[in-house]
Amino acid sequence: MRGEPRAGGARQPAIGGPAGGFGAAQARFTILKSYICTTFFRLESEGKICIAPDRSFAAFNTGLVNKRYDDIYACFERNSSTWIDEWEWKFAGFTASGRRGLGKRLVELFNPLPEPAEYFSRKEDLLYDLDKDLIIDDDHVLIDNMSRLPLDFLAEELRGDDDAMDLIDEIRAADVAGKRRLYKELGDILEDDDRLFRRVRARLNEAVETAKKRVRWNFKTAIPSYYPRGNTMSLLLPICLMDDEVADAALVVQLMPSGNYQGQTILTMRQAYTNARLICRPDSDWLTTSSRANEEDEDDE
């Protein structure tokens, strides 16, 4: 099945949906689009995309509900266009089962109705075990993804290095393309200077230890997350670098077959919310749609 539902086409408000926060409506629809597309990817891997026997109609469960807590389904019709390069399917709309039009057709064609995506089958996907060791990929977090860290934090930790401070000043004024190049140069400085690297790593480790203490106090601090590219589950830990009460980023922690946790990468707050929202609306005091976020988010790696 090919095709992409338009986020703006939903006629029913989704309770717990990935809307709200992060500023303008465009940002909200970006989160919704990511949610719908990634949900589709997961459902396809689970074989849960329902297609009518005559291939005239298809649908999937979005995992969202309307105000009455009815499941919302994305529906598609066979594209009758004769253009060779057209999609096989075209988006027909969102609906709840049994409602006039698409909802009735859904009930007519599918039994059982399309099922929601499932992301976890074991408690380890939901709960962080404080007795297990956590090893962080420091190079990937601090060098490869330096742009996901607060610039004020980098300025504070790299003080004393004139070249680094000059680059930070340039980053503040640069456009998106310029920022990428400048962050690469800043990362090279950090990689080549062991003293600076140890300083920044020590501050990261301090933030991680604080996050573990928060997990001990409230297990909901560690938030389940889904990584689409790897089709894997992980947990998110808050990384507070500038203020102990405000998370600046999220550490992606994955349980490995050995029993150790691997700190795989770091995410901006917006990236973290998008990944976590695939599982459920985060019940958290640190990850919400109003959380602080970078304007230029990179793809999760």
Side-chain angles (χ1 to χ4, degrees), residues 104-168:
K104 291 185 180 297
R105 195 171 180 190
L106 192 73
V107 175
E108 175 187 351
L109 292 172
F110 303 125
N111 182 21
L113 294 174
E115 299 177 351
E118 295 181 1
Y119 292 95
F120 47 84
S121 58
R122 55 179 189 168
K123 63 181 177 61
E124 289 84 355
D125 293 330
L126 300 173
L127 300 173
Y128 185 87
D129 188 344
L130 290 163
D131 293 329
K132 298 184 183 298
D133 291 331
L134 170 59
I135 294 88
I136 300 173
D137 185 348
D138 298 316
D139 288 342
H140 188 59
V141 170
L142 297 176
I143 296 174
D144 298 342
N145 289 299
M146 179 180 283
S147 62
R148 298 175 183 177
L149 300 170
L151 199 56
D152 288 342
F153 162 74
L154 294 174
E156 181 179 322
E157 297 302 324
L158 300 180
R159 65 189 184 283
D161 188 296
D162 293 339
D163 291 337
M165 298 308 293
D166 288 343
L167 285 171
I168 289 173

Coordinates of all heavy atoms in Angstrom, one line a residue, residues 104-168:
K104 N -19.1 3.0 7.8 CA -19.9 1.9 7.4 C -19.2 0.9 6.5 O -19.3 -0.3 6.6 CB -21.2 2.3 6.8 CG -22.2 3.0 7.8 CD -23.5 3.4 7.2 CE -24.4 4.1 8.1 NZ -24.8 3.3 9.3
R105 N -18.4 1.5 5.6 CA -17.7 0.7 4.6 C -16.6 -0.1 5.4 O -16.3 -1.3 5.0 CB -17.1 1.6 3.6 CG -16.6 0.8 2.3 CD -16.2 1.7 1.2 NE -15.7 1.0 0.1 CZ -15.1 1.5 -1.0 NH1 -14.9 2.9 -1.0 NH2 -14.8 0.8 -2.0
L106 N -16.0 0.5 6.4 CA -15.0 -0.2 7.2 C -15.6 -1.5 7.8 O -15.0 -2.5 7.8 CB -14.5 0.8 8.2 CG -13.3 0.4 9.0 CD1 -12.0 0.6 8.2 CD2 -13.2 1.3 10.3
V107 N -16.8 -1.3 8.4 CA -17.5 -2.4 9.1 C -17.9 -3.5 8.0 O -17.9 -4.7 8.3 CB -18.7 -1.9 9.9 CG1 -19.5 -3.1 10.5 CG2 -18.2 -1.0 11.0
E108 N -18.3 -3.0 6.9 CA -18.8 -4.0 5.8 C -17.6 -4.9 5.3 O -17.9 -6.0 5.0 CB -19.3 -3.1 4.7 CG -19.8 -4.0 3.5 CD -20.2 -3.1 2.3 OE1 -20.3 -1.9 2.4 OE2 -20.3 -3.6 1.2
L109 N -16.4 -4.3 5.2 CA -15.4 -5.0 4.6 C -14.4 -5.8 5.5 O -13.8 -6.8 5.1 CB -14.5 -4.1 3.7 CG -15.2 -3.5 2.5 CD1 -14.4 -2.4 1.9 CD2 -15.5 -4.6 1.5
F110 N -14.3 -5.3 6.8 CA -13.2 -5.9 7.6 C -13.8 -6.5 8.9 O -14.5 -5.8 9.7 CB -12.2 -4.9 8.0 CG -11.5 -4.2 6.7 CD1 -11.5 -2.9 6.6 CD2 -10.9 -5.0 5.8 CE1 -11.0 -2.3 5.5 CE2 -10.4 -4.5 4.7 CZ -10.4 -3.1 4.5
N111 N -13.4 -7.8 9.2 CA -13.8 -8.4 10.4 C -12.6 -9.4 10.8 O -12.4 -10.3 10.1 CB -15.1 -9.2 10.3 CG -15.4 -9.9 11.7 OD1 -15.0 -9.5 12.7 ND2 -16.3 -10.9 11.6
P112 N -11.8 -9.1 11.8 CA -12.0 -7.9 12.7 C -11.6 -6.6 12.1 O -10.9 -6.6 11.0 CB -11.0 -8.3 13.9 CG -9.9 -9.1 13.2 CD -10.6 -9.9 12.1
L113 N -11.9 -5.5 12.8 CA -11.5 -4.2 12.3 C -10.0 -4.0 12.4 O -9.4 -4.8 13.2 CB -12.2 -3.1 13.1 CG -13.8 -3.1 12.9 CD1 -14.3 -2.1 13.9 CD2 -14.1 -2.7 11.5
P114 N -9.4 -3.1 11.7 CA -7.9 -2.9 11.8 C -7.5 -2.7 13.2 O -8.1 -1.9 14.0 CB -7.7 -1.7 10.9 CG -8.8 -1.7 10.0 CD -10.0 -2.2 10.7
E115 N -6.4 -3.4 13.6 CA -5.9 -3.4 15.0 C -4.9 -2.3 15.1 O -4.1 -2.0 14.2 CB -5.4 -4.7 15.4 CG -6.4 -5.9 15.3 CD -5.8 -7.2 15.6 OE1 -4.6 -7.3 15.7 OE2 -6.6 -8.2 15.8
P116 N -4.7 -1.8 16.3 CA -3.6 -0.8 16.5 C -2.3 -1.4 16.6 O -2.1 -2.6 16.7 CB -4.0 -0.2 17.9 CG -4.8 -1.3 18.6 CD -5.5 -2.0 17.5
A117 N -1.2 -0.6 16.4 CA 0.1 -1.1 16.5 C 0.5 -1.5 17.9 O 0.0 -1.0 18.9 CB 1.1 0.0 16.0
E118 N 1.4 -2.5 18.0 CA 1.9 -2.9 19.3 C 3.4 -2.7 19.3 O 4.1 -3.0 18.3 CB 1.6 -4.4 19.6 CG 0.1 -4.7 19.7 CD -0.2 -6.2 20.0 OE1 0.8 -6.9 20.1 OE2 -1.4 -6.6 20.0
Y119 N 3.9 -2.2 20.4 CA 5.3 -1.8 20.5 C 6.1 -2.6 21.5 O 7.3 -2.7 21.4 CB 5.4 -0.3 20.7 CG 4.9 0.5 19.6 CD1 3.6 1.0 19.6 CD2 5.7 0.8 18.5 CE1 3.2 1.8 18.6 CE2 5.3 1.6 17.5 CZ 4.0 2.1 17.5 OH 3.5 2.8 16.5
F120 N 5.5 -3.2 22.5 CA 6.2 -3.9 23.5 C 5.5 -5.2 23.9 O 4.3 -5.3 23.9 CB 6.5 -3.0 24.7 CG 5.2 -2.3 25.2 CD1 4.3 -2.9 26.1 CD2 5.0 -1.0 24.8 CE1 3.2 -2.3 26.5 CE2 3.8 -0.4 25.3 CZ 3.0 -1.0 26.1
S121 N 6.3 -6.1 24.3 CA 5.8 -7.4 24.8 C 6.5 -7.9 26.1 O 6.2 -9.0 26.5 CB 6.1 -8.5 23.7 OG 7.4 -8.6 23.4
R122 N 7.3 -7.0 26.7 CA 8.0 -7.4 27.9 C 8.1 -6.2 28.8 O 8.1 -5.0 28.3 CB 9.4 -8.0 27.6 CG 10.2 -7.1 26.8 CD 11.6 -7.6 26.5 NE 12.4 -6.6 25.9 CZ 13.8 -6.7 25.7 NH1 14.4 -7.8 26.2 NH2 14.4 -5.8 25.2
K123 N 8.1 -6.4 30.1 CA 8.2 -5.3 31.0 C 9.5 -4.5 30.9 O 9.5 -3.3 31.3 CB 8.0 -5.8 32.5 CG 9.1 -6.7 33.0 CD 8.8 -7.1 34.4 CE 9.9 -8.1 34.9 NZ 11.2 -7.5 35.0
E124 N 10.5 -5.1 30.4 CA 11.8 -4.4 30.2 C 11.7 -3.2 29.3 O 12.5 -2.3 29.3 CB 12.9 -5.4 29.8 CG 13.4 -6.3 30.8 CD 12.5 -7.6 30.9 OE1 11.5 -7.6 30.2 OE2 12.8 -8.5 31.7
D125 N 10.7 -3.3 28.4 CA 10.5 -2.2 27.4 C 9.9 -1.0 28.1 O 9.9 0.1 27.5 CB 9.6 -2.6 26.3 CG 10.3 -3.7 25.4 OD1 11.5 -3.7 25.3 OD2 9.6 -4.5 24.8
L126 N 9.3 -1.2 29.3 CA 8.6 -0.1 29.9 C 9.3 0.5 31.2 O 9.0 1.6 31.6 CB 7.2 -0.6 30.3 CG 6.3 -1.1 29.2 CD1 5.0 -1.7 29.8 CD2 5.9 0.0 28.3
L127 N 10.1 -0.4 31.8 CA 10.7 0.0 33.1 C 12.2 0.0 33.1 O 12.8 -0.9 32.6 CB 10.2 -1.0 34.2 CG 8.7 -1.0 34.4 CD1 8.3 -2.1 35.4 CD2 8.1 0.3 34.9
Y128 N 12.8 1.0 33.6 CA 14.3 1.1 33.7 C 14.8 0.4 34.9 O 14.3 0.7 36.0 CB 14.7 2.6 33.7 CG 16.2 2.8 33.6 CD1 16.8 2.8 32.4 CD2 17.0 2.9 34.8 CE1 18.2 3.0 32.3 CE2 18.3 3.0 34.7 CZ 19.0 3.1 33.5 OH 20.3 3.3 33.4
D129 N 15.7 -0.5 34.7 CA 16.3 -1.3 35.8 C 17.6 -0.6 36.3 O 18.6 -0.6 35.7 CB 16.6 -2.7 35.3 CG 17.0 -3.6 36.5 OD1 17.3 -3.2 37.6 OD2 17.0 -4.9 36.2
L130 N 17.5 0.0 37.5 CA 18.6 0.7 38.1 C 19.8 -0.2 38.5 O 20.9 0.3 38.7 CB 18.1 1.5 39.3 CG 17.2 2.7 39.0 CD1 16.5 3.1 40.2 CD2 17.9 3.8 38.3
D131 N 19.6 -1.5 38.5 CA 20.7 -2.4 38.9 C 21.6 -2.7 37.7 O 22.6 -3.3 37.9 CB 20.1 -3.7 39.4 CG 19.4 -3.5 40.8 OD1 19.9 -2.5 41.5 OD2 18.5 -4.2 41.1
K132 N 21.1 -2.3 36.5 CA 21.9 -2.7 35.3 C 22.9 -1.5 35.0 O 22.6 -0.3 35.3 CB 21.0 -2.9 34.1 CG 20.1 -4.1 34.3 CD 19.3 -4.4 33.1 CE 18.4 -5.6 33.3 NZ 19.1 -6.9 33.6
D133 N 24.0 -1.8 34.4 CA 25.0 -0.8 34.0 C 24.6 -0.1 32.7 O 23.9 -0.6 31.8 CB 26.4 -1.5 33.7 CG 27.0 -2.0 35.0 OD1 26.7 -1.5 36.0 OD2 27.8 -3.0 34.9
L134 N 24.9 1.2 32.7 CA 24.6 2.0 31.5 C 25.9 2.5 30.9 O 26.7 3.2 31.6 CB 23.7 3.2 31.9 CG 23.5 4.3 30.9 CD1 22.9 3.8 29.6 CD2 22.7 5.5 31.5
I135 N 26.2 2.2 29.7 CA 27.4 2.6 29.0 C 26.9 3.5 27.8 O 26.1 3.2 27.0 CB 28.2 1.4 28.4 CG1 28.7 0.6 29.6 CG2 29.3 1.9 27.6 CD1 27.8 -0.5 30.1
I136 N 27.5 4.7 27.8 CA 27.1 5.7 26.8 C 28.1 5.9 25.7 O 29.3 5.8 25.9 CB 26.9 7.1 27.5 CG1 25.9 7.0 28.6 CG2 26.5 8.2 26.5 CD1 25.8 8.3 29.5
D137 N 27.5 6.0 24.5 CA 28.4 6.2 23.3 C 28.7 7.7 23.3 O 28.1 8.5 22.7 CB 27.6 5.8 22.0 CG 28.5 6.0 20.8 OD1 29.6 6.6 20.8 OD2 28.0 5.5 19.7
D138 N 29.7 8.1 24.1 CA 30.1 9.5 24.3 C 30.4 10.2 23.0 O 30.0 11.4 22.8 CB 31.3 9.6 25.2 CG 31.0 9.0 26.6 OD1 29.9 9.3 27.1 OD2 31.8 8.3 27.2
D139 N 31.1 9.6 22.1 CA 31.5 10.3 20.9 C 30.3 10.6 20.0 O 30.2 11.7 19.5 CB 32.4 9.4 20.0 CG 33.8 9.3 20.6 OD1 34.2 10.1 21.5 OD2 34.6 8.4 20.3
H140 N 29.3 9.7 20.0 CA 28.1 9.9 19.2 C 27.3 11.0 19.8 O 26.7 11.8 19.1 CB 27.3 8.6 19.0 CG 26.2 8.7 18.1 ND1 26.4 9.1 16.7 CD2 24.9 8.5 18.2 CE1 25.2 9.1 16.1 NE2 24.3 8.8 17.0
V141 N 27.2 10.9 21.1 CA 26.3 11.9 21.8 C 26.9 13.3 21.8 O 26.3 14.3 21.4 CB 26.1 11.5 23.3 CG1 25.4 12.6 24.1 CG2 25.2 10.2 23.3
L142 N 28.2 13.4 22.1 CA 28.8 14.7 22.4 C 29.5 15.3 21.1 O 29.6 16.6 21.0 CB 29.9 14.6 23.4 CG 29.4 14.2 24.8 CD1 30.5 14.0 25.8 CD2 28.4 15.2 25.4
I143 N 29.8 14.5 20.2 CA 30.5 15.0 19.0 C 29.6 15.0 17.7 O 29.3 16.0 17.1 CB 31.8 14.3 18.7 CG1 32.8 14.5 19.9 CG2 32.4 14.7 17.4 CD1 34.1 13.7 19.8
D144 N 29.1 13.8 17.4 CA 28.2 13.6 16.2 C 26.9 14.4 16.4 O 26.4 14.8 15.4 CB 27.9 12.1 16.0 CG 29.2 11.3 15.7 OD1 30.2 11.9 15.4 OD2 29.1 10.1 15.8
N145 N 26.4 14.5 17.6 CA 25.1 15.1 17.8 C 25.2 16.4 18.7 O 24.3 16.7 19.5 CB 24.1 14.1 18.3 CG 23.7 13.1 17.3 OD1 23.1 13.5 16.3 ND2 23.9 11.9 17.6
M146 N 26.3 17.1 18.6 CA 26.5 18.2 19.4 C 25.5 19.3 19.2 O 25.1 20.0 20.1 CB 27.9 18.8 19.0 CG 28.3 20.1 19.8 SD 29.9 20.7 19.3 CE 31.0 19.6 20.2
S147 N 24.9 19.4 18.0 CA 23.9 20.4 17.7 C 22.6 20.2 18.5 O 21.7 21.1 18.6 CB 23.5 20.4 16.3 OG 23.0 19.2 15.8
R148 N 22.4 19.0 19.2 CA 21.2 18.7 20.0 C 21.4 19.2 21.4 O 20.5 19.0 22.2 CB 20.9 17.2 19.9 CG 20.6 16.8 18.5 CD 20.3 15.3 18.4 NE 20.1 14.9 17.0 CZ 19.9 13.7 16.6 NH1 19.9 12.7 17.5 NH2 19.7 13.4 15.3
L149 N 22.6 19.7 21.7 CA 22.9 20.2 23.1 C 22.7 21.7 23.1 O 22.9 22.4 22.1 CB 24.3 19.8 23.5 CG 24.7 18.3 23.5 CD1 26.2 18.2 23.6 CD2 24.0 17.6 24.6
P150 N 22.3 22.2 24.3 CA 22.1 23.7 24.4 C 23.4 24.4 24.1 O 24.5 24.1 24.6 CB 21.7 23.9 25.8 CG 21.2 22.5 26.3 CD 22.0 21.5 25.6
L151 N 23.3 25.4 23.3 CA 24.5 26.2 22.9 C 25.1 26.9 24.1 O 26.3 27.0 24.2 CB 24.1 27.2 21.8 CG 25.3 27.8 21.0 CD1 26.1 26.7 20.3 CD2 24.8 28.7 19.9
D152 N 24.2 27.4 25.0 CA 24.7 28.0 26.2 C 25.5 27.0 27.1 O 26.5 27.4 27.7 CB 23.6 28.6 27.0 CG 23.0 29.8 26.4 OD1 23.6 30.4 25.5 OD2 21.8 30.2 26.8
F153 N 25.1 25.8 27.1 CA 25.9 24.7 27.8 C 27.2 24.5 27.2 O 28.2 24.5 27.9 CB 25.1 23.4 27.8 CG 25.9 22.2 28.1 CD1 26.3 21.9 29.4 CD2 26.3 21.3 27.1 CE1 27.0 20.8 29.7 CE2 27.0 20.2 27.4 CZ 27.4 19.9 28.7
L154 N 27.3 24.5 25.9 CA 28.6 24.3 25.2 C 29.5 25.5 25.5 O 30.7 25.3 25.7 CB 28.4 24.1 23.7 CG 27.7 22.8 23.3 CD1 27.4 22.9 21.8 CD2 28.5 21.6 23.6
A155 N 28.9 26.7 25.4 CA 29.7 27.9 25.7 C 30.3 27.9 27.1 O 31.5 28.3 27.3 CB 28.9 29.2 25.5
E156 N 29.5 27.4 28.1 CA 30.0 27.3 29.4 C 31.1 26.3 29.6 O 32.1 26.5 30.3 CB 28.8 26.9 30.3 CG 29.2 26.9 31.8 CD 27.9 26.5 32.7 OE1 26.9 27.1 32.4 OE2 28.1 25.8 33.6
E157 N 30.9 25.1 29.0 CA 31.9 24.0 29.2 C 33.2 24.2 28.3 O 34.2 23.6 28.6 CB 31.2 22.7 28.8 CG 30.1 22.3 29.8 CD 30.5 22.3 31.2 OE1 31.6 21.9 31.5 OE2 29.7 22.7 32.1
L158 N 33.1 24.9 27.2 CA 34.2 25.1 26.3 C 34.9 26.4 26.5 O 35.8 26.8 25.7 CB 33.8 25.0 24.8 CG 33.1 23.6 24.4 CD1 32.7 23.6 23.0 CD2 34.0 22.5 24.7
R159 N 34.5 27.1 27.6 CA 35.2 28.4 27.9 C 36.7 28.1 28.0 O 37.1 27.1 28.6 CB 34.6 29.0 29.1 CG 34.8 28.2 30.4 CD 34.0 28.7 31.6 NE 34.3 28.0 32.8 CZ 33.9 26.8 33.1 NH1 33.1 26.2 32.3 NH2 34.2 26.2 34.2
G160 N 37.5 29.1 27.6 CA 38.9 29.0 27.7 C 39.5 28.6 26.4 O 40.8 28.8 26.2
D161 N 38.8 28.1 25.5 CA 39.3 27.8 24.2 C 38.7 28.8 23.2 O 37.6 28.9 22.9 CB 38.8 26.4 23.7 CG 39.4 25.9 22.4 OD1 39.2 26.5 21.4 OD2 40.2 24.9 22.5
D162 N 39.6 29.7 22.8 CA 39.2 30.8 21.9 C 38.6 30.4 20.6 O 37.6 31.0 20.2 CB 40.5 31.7 21.7 CG 41.0 32.4 22.9 OD1 40.2 32.5 23.9 OD2 42.1 32.9 22.9
D163 N 39.2 29.4 20.0 CA 38.6 28.9 18.7 C 37.2 28.4 18.9 O 36.3 28.7 18.1 CB 39.5 27.8 18.1 CG 40.9 28.3 17.7 OD1 40.9 29.5 17.4 OD2 41.8 27.5 17.6
A164 N 37.0 27.7 20.0 CA 35.6 27.1 20.2 C 34.6 28.3 20.5 O 33.5 28.2 20.0 CB 35.7 26.2 21.4
M165 N 35.1 29.2 21.3 CA 34.2 30.3 21.6 C 33.8 31.2 20.3 O 32.7 31.6 20.2 CB 34.8 31.2 22.7 CG 35.0 30.5 24.0 SD 33.5 29.7 24.6 CE 32.5 31.0 25.0
D166 N 34.8 31.3 19.4 CA 34.6 32.0 18.2 C 33.5 31.3 17.3 O 32.6 31.9 16.7 CB 35.9 32.2 17.4 CG 36.8 33.2 18.0 OD1 36.3 34.0 18.8 OD2 38.0 33.2 17.7
L167 N 33.6 30.0 17.3 CA 32.7 29.1 16.5 C 31.3 29.2 17.1 O 30.3 29.3 16.4 CB 33.1 27.7 16.5 CG 34.3 27.4 15.6 CD1 34.8 25.9 15.8 CD2 33.9 27.6 14.1
I168 N 31.2 29.2 18.4 CA 29.9 29.4 19.1 C 29.2 30.7 18.8 O 28.0 30.7 18.5 CB 30.0 29.2 20.6 CG1 30.4 27.7 20.9 CG2 28.8 29.6 21.3 CD1 30.7 27.5 22.4

